[in-house]
Amino acid sequence: MKRTRIGTALRCMAAGAVLAVLAGAGPASAAGSQKAPDPLGAPPQVHGPEVKSLAAAGGRPVSGKSPSAGPTFTQVGGVWQVNRTMAVLSNTVTDPDGDKADLTFAVYTTDAFGNPDKQVMIKDEPYGVLVSGYVNSGGTAKVTVPDGNLKPGTTYAFRTSAYDGSLYETEWSPWAKFKTRGRAVDIKLPEPDKNAMVLNEDDFQEPQKIAQPTMAVVPPTVPPTGLRAASGWNCGKVNSKTGIQPCSRIVPGVSENARQSLIKQASSGLPHLVDWCETYADSHIKRYEACISGFTYEYQGIVVKDGKPTGEVLNASWAVGQEVKLSGTSGTFTQQLILVPLEVDPKFVSVTLDVEFDCLMADDCSNGPQSWDGALEWTGADPFSHTAIGKIGHTWTPTDNTDLLDLSTKITAYSPVANPAATRWQADGAQIRCDTISSTTPGCAFYKYIPTWVMNFKKTPPAVAHAWLIQSKLPNHPGSKAATKPMFFLPAADKNAPGRDPNKNRDVICPKNSDGTSWAGKYGNPRTTTVPEISASDKMSCDEFAYASSYNSGGMPGGIIGGMNPVASGDECVQTYATRATQGEWHLYDDERLAGPTWSEVCGRSAMSGWINSTSMGGAFSSGFSGKYRLLDKDPYWVDFPEFGHCDASKATVTCTVPKP
C-alpha cells in the first residue's frame, strides 16, 4: 500500500503539532506540548495529516527497539554487515489496538565518528524515505534500498517510524548502523580501441617438448655377440671374411661438441624447414612444425674370433636432426633429415647410410622422391668432410575425414668390412592428424601440441579482464597453462561427439529474455557502459567464461554430455560488469547489488557492451585460432593474458591496473 504524500511543509512537522492543529488548538498550546526538536528531523508525515482525532483513533503504533540490516543479518562491533548495496532494512512494529501498521525507513550517512550525518535521499521517493507494506501488529516490516542509493564499503545509519493508517508514531526508533560490503573486484582498464591491430596468434605459440624418439626392432636381427640384448642394439650377421658383426641403434642425447656441430651446420646457409630447431637440444613440436633432434645414430663393428668377441669394437656415429613442416591448408607436407658425422673408425674404411622415410599409412599417405645435399658415404680417412641433408615430401589423400599418421625413419649402415645393420625410430609425440572436419580443405597438424589463444586486449579490454579474472581466481582455472587446466574445444553440434549446440551452453549462463533480448539488458548492472561511438546500435550484452564453445562451460551438462563444470543457471557464476568511469578509464567491477563472490564458483557472467563482447571472440577465434590450428572436438588449448602478468589474483579483493602503470 503506497502512502499519500502531502506538501513538503508537513514533511518535517512533529506528529504532536499536527494533532494540535487537527484538534483546533492554537499555535501557542501546540508549541507548549512539544519536546525539543529532533536535530535530524521528526518522523515525516508521508501519509498526510492524521485522519482521526486522537480519542477516536486509539493508541499510536510503535517501532521496535532493535532495527536490523542484511543480508546476512549479522553484526560486527554493533554494525550490521550487509553483503550488497541493495540492503534489506527491517524492524518490528506493534499497535496497541492490534491494527496493521507500516514503517517509514530513513537512511543517513555517517561521519568520521560513526554518528548519523546527512540523510540519503532515496531516489524516486518524494520524501527520500522508504515505506514498507502493512504488517500485522508484532510483525516485521522490511524494505529493500533500491540500487544506486548506497555505495560499496560504506557505513550508514537508519531508523524507523510507524503508521497504522490513522496515527503516526511521534518518536523515531533507535538508530541502527550497517555497512555495505566493499568491492571484491576493481580492475582498471583503458578505452577499447576499435582500430587495434589483429593479433598474429603464431607469435604466442611456444615450442612444446615431447619425448625423444623410440627405436623399433628391424627384423631380421641377430643377438649382439658379447653384448646384452637390453642394450638396444639391432645387429646383423657376422661377416665371414672379416669376423665383424654389425650393430646399430639410436641413443638419446648428443655430446656438447656434437650439438655445436649441429648448430654450426644449421646456420651455415643450408636449407632448413624449421628455423627454431637449432635452439633446442631435444625434441619439440608446434602445431605445424616439429624438431626431432638431440639423439645419435650409432653403427658398431664387433670384432669376433672363434665365435667370441675379442673386445675390439669399431665405432661410427652421427648426430641426427629431423625437421617436419606440415600445412594447415594442404595434405602435403615435408620432412628433412640432417646427418652430422661425429666419428668414423678408419678400420671401417668407409660407412654408407641408406635412409628410408616412411609415412605409416600406406593406403592414405604416399611418399615422394628423396633428394640429398651431400653424399651418404663417409670415409674413415676424412670422416668430417661433409654433412648430409635429405628431404622428402608426403601427401595425405583422404579416404576418411580424419587419419592419424606416424612418420618413421629407418637407417641402414654398412661398410666394406661389415654387413648391414638397420635401426628404425619414430617420435610418438609427433604423431600427425590430417582431417577434412575443421575445414573441407585437407590439412594436417601435430594434434598433441596444445596451442595458446590470446585475446586482443587493446581492442576489447573488459572482455579480456573478465576472462583473466575467472581463469585466475576460480579453483577450476579454465584454460590455465600454469594450473595445467586446458580449455577443451566444443565445435558446432554436427562436429562434436555429444551433438551439443554451443548456443545451448550460452543459454544456460546468458539466457534470452522473453522478447529475445539479452539477459544483460534486463538484469545486468545498469551502470554497464556501451560504446555507441563505435557501434551505433550497441546494447548491453552478457559475456560468459569459460567460453560457451568449450566443455569447460558452466552451461555444458555433465554425465555423458561431458561438461566439466555444470551449473543450473548463470546466477551461480561470479557476477561482474564493465563500466566507463571517465573517458579513457574503464573498470571491471563485481556486481555490488548482489552478494560478493565466494571464489568457489566455476564460471563467470559479466554485463558489458555487446560490441566488446562479440568482438573479443567472433571471427578472431574461429578464423584466427580454432580454424587456423584445426581444432577438433575436445582438443585442448590454453588461454593466456600477457598484459595481466603483474596482477595478483591470490588476494580476497582483486585489484589491478592494466596495462601496468
Side-chain angles (χ1 to χ4, degrees), residues 7-359:
T8 57
L10 292 174
R11 176 170 158 266
C12 292
M13 183 182 293
V18 173
L19 286 175
V21 171
L22 293 175
S29 62
S33 67
Q34 292 304 299
K35 298 180 180 181
D38 186 329
L40 292 176
Q45 311 303 299
V46 296
H47 286 293
E50 292 178 346
V51 298
K52 297 181 181 179
S53 67
L54 185 58
R60 293 183 181 279
V62 179
S63 295
K65 301 300 182 183
S66 301
S68 62
T72 56
F73 296 97
T74 57
Q75 287 181 296
V76 175
V79 178
W80 294 96
Q81 303 298 303
V82 179
N83 66 4
R84 61 197 67 192
T85 56
M86 294 178 66
V88 177
L89 310 179
S90 65
N91 199 1
T92 57
V93 58
T94 56
D95 186 88
D97 307 309
D99 294 335
K100 289 187 175 182
D102 65 14
L103 288 179
T104 295
F105 290 76
V107 182
Y108 288 76
T109 61
T110 58
D111 61 21
F113 302 99
N115 299 316
D117 188 13
K118 297 178 181 178
Q119 184 179 352
V120 176
M121 302 304 293
I122 304 300
K123 298 175 183 177
D124 300 323
E125 296 293 336
Y127 298 104
V129 295
L130 294 169
V131 181
S132 75
Y134 281 88
V135 298
N136 292 329
S137 178
T140 299
K142 297 181 179 180
V143 295
T144 298
V145 181
D147 176 46
N149 289 284
L150 304 179
K151 298 178 181 180
T154 304
T155 300
Y156 295 92
F158 78 97
R159 55 185 180 174
T160 66
S161 175
Y163 178 69
D164 66 0
S166 297
L167 296 175
Y168 291 102
E169 182 177 10
T170 59
E171 301 290 340
W172 285 106
S173 73
W175 289 103
K177 290 193 289 187
F178 68 94
K179 184 177 182 180
T180 56
R181 71 169 179 88
R183 293 201 182 279
V185 178
D186 183 358
I187 303 175
K188 183 179 176 182
L189 304 162
E191 283 286 333
D193 180 2
K194 67 176 182 179
N195 298 316
M197 294 181 61
V198 175
L199 298 183
N200 180 1
E201 295 294 330
D202 286 345
D203 294 341
F204 306 101
Q205 311 309 312
E206 295 295 329
Q208 175 181 308
K209 188 175 182 178
I210 61 172
Q212 289 294 79
T214 55
M215 187 175 78
V217 174
V218 180
T221 186
V222 178
T225 303
L227 298 175
R228 293 178 299 171
S231 61
W233 292 94
N234 287 329
C235 299
K237 295 181 179 180
V238 176
N239 186 302
S240 58
K241 294 182 179 179
T242 62
I244 296 176
Q245 182 182 27
C247 297
S248 67
R249 67 175 181 177
I250 61 167
V251 295
V254 294
S255 67
E256 182 59 29
N257 287 339
R259 183 169 180 271
Q260 291 303 317
S261 296
L262 280 170
I263 294 173
K264 181 179 179 181
Q265 292 296 335
S267 60
S268 62
L270 295 173
H272 287 274
L273 291 177
V274 182
D275 55 8
W276 51 268
C277 285
E278 63 187 55
T279 61
Y280 291 90
D282 43 19
S283 298
H284 288 73
I285 57 172
K286 287 187 177 182
R287 197 67 175 182
Y288 295 119
E289 297 173 326
C291 297
I292 305 168
S293 59
F295 64 99
T296 305
Y297 175 79
E298 295 182 347
Y299 177 63
Q300 283 192 348
I302 303 170
V303 179
V304 178
K305 188 174 183 180
D306 299 328
K308 295 181 180 180
T310 64
E312 183 181 3
V313 177
L314 284 60
N315 292 290
S317 62
W318 291 259
V320 181
Q322 193 168 12
E323 305 172 12
V324 185
K325 194 159 187 99
L326 310 179
S327 172
T329 56
S330 171
T332 297
F333 51 95
T334 307
Q335 67 169 311
Q336 178 173 283
L337 193 71
I338 303 175
L339 295 170
V340 179
L342 305 177
E343 178 184 14
V344 177
D345 194 312
K347 293 182 179 179
F348 270 133
V349 182
S350 67
V351 176
T352 300
L353 303 181
D354 179 63
V355 180
E356 180 181 324
F357 299 101
D358 285 323
C359 183

Side-chain angles (χ1 to χ4, degrees), residues 468-501:
W468 171 83
L469 172 73
I470 300 306
Q471 182 194 89
S472 303
K473 192 66 178 174
L474 300 193
N476 56 335
H477 302 297
S480 170
K481 187 174 184 179
T484 62
K485 298 287 184 67
M487 199 82 78
F488 291 95
F489 182 54
L490 179 72
D494 61 345
K495 295 182 179 182
N496 68 64
R500 175 74 171 179
D501 182 353

Side-chain angles (χ1 to χ4, degrees), residues 412-641:
T412 303
Y414 57 92
S415 123
V417 298
N419 294 334
T423 290
R424 180 182 293 278
W425 72 83
Q426 68 185 56
D428 293 335
Q431 191 175 49
I432 298 167
R433 183 183 68 199
C434 299
D435 79 274
T436 55
I437 299 174
S438 60
S439 168
T440 55
T441 300
C444 302
F446 292 111
Y447 73 100
K448 294 183 180 180
Y449 178 81
I450 304 178
T452 298
W453 161 240
V454 174
M455 302 174 72
N456 193 330
F457 175 77
K458 288 186 177 180
K459 182 163 283 190
T460 59
V464 183
H466 177 223
W468 171 83
L469 172 73
I470 300 306
Q471 182 194 89
S472 303
K473 192 66 178 174
L474 300 193
N476 56 335
H477 302 297
S480 170
K481 187 174 184 179
T484 62
K485 298 287 184 67
M487 199 82 78
F488 291 95
F489 182 54
L490 179 72
D494 61 345
K495 295 182 179 182
N496 68 64
R500 175 74 171 179
D501 182 353
N503 287 318
K504 291 185 177 180
N505 293 347
R506 185 171 290 108
D507 290 342
V508 174
I509 307 301
C510 296
K512 291 286 194 299
N513 299 318
S514 58
D515 60 359
T517 58
S518 169
W519 166 92
K522 186 174 182 180
Y523 299 104
N525 192 295
R527 284 167 290 286
T528 300
T529 302
T530 58
V531 287
E533 68 277 13
I534 295 177
S535 174
S537 60
D538 191 26
K539 296 179 180 179
M540 287 172 60
S541 176
C542 177
D543 178 47
E544 76 278 8
F545 193 84
Y547 306 127
S549 295
S550 74
Y551 284 80
N552 310 68
S553 168
M556 186 77 173
I560 61 173
I561 301 299
M564 303 167 63
N565 309 291
V567 296
S569 162
D571 294 345
E572 300 177 43
C573 303
V574 173
Q575 311 292 320
T576 60
Y577 67 99
T579 185
R580 178 192 278 133
T582 59
Q583 186 64 36
E585 179 183 327
W586 284 62
H587 289 260
L588 183 76
Y589 291 134
D590 57 305
D591 195 336
E592 67 275 7
R593 303 173 303 163
L594 309 170
T598 65
W599 302 126
S600 61
E601 297 88 350
V602 296
C603 53
R605 178 169 69 183
S606 188
M608 65 180 61
S609 147
W611 181 87
I612 291 174
N613 185 12
S614 60
T615 303
S616 69
M617 296 293 287
F621 183 83
S622 59
S623 62
F625 185 74
S626 65
K628 181 175 184 176
Y629 298 122
R630 302 191 77 95
L631 296 185
L632 300 187
D633 186 32
K634 234 170 185 180
D635 272 1
Y637 64 94
W638 309 118
V639 185
D640 193 29
F641 311 97

